[in-house]
Each structure stands twice: as C-alpha cells, then as structure tokens.
Amino acid sequence: MPELDPATTALLTVECQRGVVGEESALPELAKEARDSGMLGRVAALVDAAHGAGVQVLHAVAERRPDGRGANANARLFRAAGKLPVRQLSGSRAVEVAAPIEVAEHDLVVRRLHGLSPLAGTDVDPLLRNLGIRTLVVVGVSSNIAIPNAVFDAVNLGYRVVVPGDAVAGVPAAYTAEVIRNSLALVATITTAGALLEQWAPAR
C-alpha cells in the first residue's frame, strides 16, 4: 500500500455507535461480531493513531427523529428498524459513538436522518472537499449495506478509497470477506489496520 499523506487523508468511521455496535445494540448479532472479531478495537486504535498523525477523523452516525419525520420507509430494512427495541433516536445514547472509540475535539460527527449511505445526501463530501481531502479510509459497519454504500459513493465522487479489511464487519462473518474480495477490492485499496497503524505511528 502506498504512503498516505495525512494532510489529504481522512478516516471515516461508519455507524460505530452505541445502538449498533455497543452493548445496548439494536442488532446484537452484528454488535457481537464487531466485538468478537476485534474490529471495534482496531477501529479505536486507528482513530487514536489518526489523531496522533494529524489525519482528520469523521464519524458517520445513523439516526432518526422520534417522530420519524423525513426517514425512509421504502425498504424492509427501514420498516424493521422502526420496530426494534433499541431505536437510533436523535439525542439518545444509541447514537453516541461507542467505546472504546475516542472522539477528539477536532473530529467531525456527521449525522444522517435518511437513506443507507454515509455520503449520499449528507455533509461528508462537502466537508472533505473543504478540508482538501483526496483519500478516504473507510471503517466500521456493516459490510452488508453501509460500508459498500460509502465506498462506492466515495469512488463515484472522485476520492481514492482505502479499506482495512479487518476494520469492517457484517453478518454473517464470512460475508465480509466475500464482499471485500468480490466487490470492494475492485474499486478500493484493501489493506489491514496494522499496515495503517505502522504508517501513522511514526508521526505520533
């Protein structure tokens, strides 16, 4: 993997929030995979290293208003989410970034009330452009939906995308490797969390 310039690189965590990957998750199978696979710990380590290396960190959080206004209802996933015992409601603990990930003062937290993608229809793209970002490192959940959406949207917007394969998760666990191999590897640079940590550690 080529060297990434911290000045033009950003780290995007996707849906690494309490109500998704935390102990009180609405999706316990996904949360268990995120923890048991070590993904959540690796994301936290990458965020910490990015902070030290001067790499901009953005946290993409999915949430909805208590009244559901403006939220999608055009897919089974959205309808099912509205019936879960834990809902990703604005202002609730469910939409806080999950431990052990640390949110620094200069991090950007981008919240979306609709759709499947952390980029489409959100502030992520204009924020990245205003910061002069050209390379986006994507981590988090899930490899089933939000991660592919983020990667494809970023590529379509002209960003170079890097995916540390051991810092994303989905269910079933085997699906993550398949989607990386058969889809994401065609459009993004696939690496490991360790390789990125080695790059970012000397600047800390």
Side-chain angles (χ1 to χ4, degrees), residues 177-202:
E178 292 300 319
V179 76
I180 290 172
R181 180 182 306 112
N182 296 302
S183 295
L184 303 188
L186 302 178
V187 297
T189 298
I190 307 302
T191 187
T192 64
L196 285 171
L197 290 172
E198 286 182 10
Q199 274 205 30
W200 292 343

Side-chain angles (χ1 to χ4, degrees), residues 64 76-87:
R64 60 187 292 135
R76 186 174 68 177
L77 175 68
F78 300 124
R79 295 190 292 273
K83 299 175 183 177
L84 292 172
V86 177
R87 299 172 64 202

Side-chain angles (χ1 to χ4, degrees), residues 126-151:
L127 289 173
L128 293 175
R129 293 189 186 281
N130 287 346
L131 290 164
I133 301 300
R134 300 302 307 147
T135 300
L136 189 62
V137 179
V138 178
V139 298
V141 295
S142 74
S143 58
N144 304 79
I145 296 175
I147 295 295
N149 267 270
V151 171

Side-chain angles (χ1 to χ4, degrees), residues 5-135:
D5 179 2
T8 59
T9 299
L11 174 65
L12 177 70
T13 76
V14 177
E15 296 182 20
C16 291
Q17 57 201 75
R18 290 177 182 268
V20 177
V21 297
E23 295 290 344
E24 61 270 47
S25 173
L27 304 165
E29 185 180 2
L30 177 60
K32 184 176 188 302
E33 174 60 22
R35 293 192 303 269
D36 292 355
S37 68
M39 182 225 83
L40 195 56
R42 284 187 283 272
V43 170
L46 286 168
V47 169
D48 183 56
H51 290 156
V55 172
Q56 178 66 54
V57 178
L58 295 89
H59 305 279
V61 174
E63 60 183 56
R64 60 187 292 135
R65 289 167 50 108
D67 61 9
R69 189 173 296 273
N72 288 65
N74 58 335
R76 186 174 68 177
L77 175 68
F78 300 124
R79 295 190 292 273
K83 299 175 183 177
L84 292 172
V86 177
R87 299 172 64 202
Q88 315 301 318
L89 298 181
S90 300
S92 71
R93 281 174 50 85
V95 298
E96 295 175 1
V97 175
I101 299 168
E102 296 284 345
V103 180
E105 184 178 357
H106 53 270
D107 289 2
L108 296 170
V109 180
V110 181
R111 304 180 182 279
R112 77 176 194 274
L113 294 171
H114 64 87
L116 299 169
S117 173
L119 275 77
T122 75
D123 290 336
V124 170
D125 179 43
L127 289 173
L128 293 175
R129 293 189 186 281
N130 287 346
L131 290 164
I133 301 300
R134 300 302 307 147
T135 300

